[in-house]
Amino acid sequence: MTAMNDLDLINAELLGDGTPRNAFSKAAKPGDSLTGEIVEVTRRHRTDETGKPLYWHENRPATTPTTGRPVIDSSLIIQIDCPEDENDEGLRTLRLDRDVQKALREALRTADAQLAIGGRIENFTFVGPLKTGTGRHYCGGTYVPPAA
């Protein structure tokens, strides 16, 4: 296993723009894919564009902590196999929204495994926007657990 430690991640942030690139940004195109090793997991309290923490209110994020239930985002930090250029640290954030979870869940079932640092996600692919409503369709690719 070649999991990065906190110092490796801090150095990558200092040398890069501060955060790993989003694996599937709004500019993602159908067919874009991700292959690499899970090096970190994060869980953060989501904030609005001004930095105020968000809380669940009537099933929607709001800045008023009426329920006390914070909106938490879970993400995987992936060290990709093929960085884009010499300035690319090769780290990508895969935010575990419901659409990503659905695709990743299927890959985990097929592998009969649970996520782990050092595990590999291969060919996780953005298929395109959902035909109804909002959201995105992904193909979970293959999950390979770390060697024991």
Side-chain angles (χ1 to χ4, degrees):
M1 176 167 63
T2 60
M4 297 177 75
N5 64 35
D6 289 340
L7 184 58
D8 293 330
L9 292 165
I10 289 168
N11 280 316
E13 289 175 4
L14 289 171
L15 295 172
D17 68 357
T19 58
R21 296 179 191 182
N22 188 336
F24 299 100
S25 69
K26 292 183 181 195
K29 297 176 185 76
D32 287 354
S33 66
L34 172 77
T35 294
E37 181 178 325
I38 300 169
V39 295
E40 182 187 12
V41 296
T42 64
R43 289 180 48 84
R44 292 196 172 105
H45 191 158
R46 187 186 306 171
T47 59
D48 70 3
E49 61 279 350
T50 66
K52 292 180 183 173
L54 294 172
Y55 299 88
W56 290 109
H57 177 71
E58 297 179 3
N59 292 326
R60 301 193 92 115
T63 56
T64 307
T66 55
T67 65
R69 288 184 21 238
V71 178
I72 301 294
D73 287 329
S74 298
S75 299
L76 303 176
I77 307 298
I78 310 291
Q79 178 69 53
I80 61 170
D81 291 348
C82 300
E84 294 175 12
D85 55 48
E86 65 278 350
N87 296 322
D88 182 358
E89 74 282 357
L91 295 175
R92 297 295 183 272
T93 299
L94 182 61
R95 193 169 67 81
L96 299 177
D97 64 28
R98 71 170 184 251
D99 300 327
V100 169
Q101 286 181 29
K102 182 178 178 184
L104 194 52
R105 191 175 293 120
E106 189 59 36
L108 291 169
R109 281 187 191 129
T110 300
D112 192 26
Q114 294 182 355
L115 283 177
I117 300 294
R120 286 186 55 80
I121 295 174
E122 298 179 352
N123 297 315
F124 190 95
T125 305
F126 172 53
V127 176
L130 293 176
K131 293 180 181 179
T132 58
T134 60
R136 294 174 152 201
H137 179 82
Y138 295 94
C139 174
T142 304
Y143 177 74
V144 180

